[in-house]
Amino acid sequence: MALSVGPPVIIPFMLFGGFFLNTASVPSYFEWFSYLSWFRYGNEALLINQWAEVDTIQCTRSNTTCPRSGRTVLQTYNFKVDDFWIDIICLFSLIAAFRLLAFLALLSKTRRSK
């Protein structure tokens, strides 16, 4: 049953986490959902870690547009370098919160079966 329920639950987290949709493009009525997505915080922290210190990017082709620096890449995705540690804290908070919810769900199942 978990295999059939998993993808419909995970896909919205991926969608609103910034993989398929820019975080600035999320409609205001779904913005709260993006704050529950661990993909959002993980993706943002990873991109900040990768691109924050890159000062210049060499373009290999002249007919394509490419960002000139890592800061430009982060601005394209609407990420801020200052949010790195907030992302890390939010990831650990989500880990703790989801584990607590899972524990409470299992606890309620054991109390009902007695």
Side-chain angles (χ1 to χ4, degrees):
M1 184 172 162
L3 290 174
S4 63
V5 172
V9 172
I10 297 293
I11 300 247
F13 283 117
M14 288 179 68
L15 179 66
F16 295 114
F19 279 131
F20 304 118
L21 184 66
N22 193 329
T23 54
S25 302
V26 174
S28 60
Y29 48 88
F30 280 133
E31 195 169 313
W32 64 272
F33 195 74
S34 73
Y35 290 111
L36 295 176
S37 174
W38 58 90
F39 291 109
R40 173 190 177 163
Y41 300 114
N43 187 32
E44 185 173 6
L46 180 69
L47 285 174
I48 290 170
N49 185 49
Q50 180 69 31
W51 293 108
E53 302 297 323
V54 176
D55 293 328
T56 58
I57 299 173
Q58 298 295 327
C59 293
T60 57
R61 297 183 183 178
S62 61
N63 61 353
T64 62
T65 60
C66 71
R68 297 290 179 200
S69 70
R71 299 246 180 212
T72 308
V73 173
L74 294 176
Q75 288 173 353
T76 302
Y77 289 109
N78 210 23
F79 294 151
K80 297 181 184 96
V81 176
D82 298 334
D83 290 345
F84 179 76
W85 287 109
I86 294 170
D87 293 332
I88 300 300
I89 291 168
C90 287
L91 277 172
F92 281 111
S93 299
L94 283 174
I95 288 170
F98 285 136
R99 286 186 183 250
L100 179 66
L101 286 173
F103 173 74
L104 293 175
L106 286 173
L107 188 64
S108 72
K109 289 285 187 182
T110 58
R111 298 215 181 216
R112 280 191 222 160
S113 64
K114 287 184 179 181

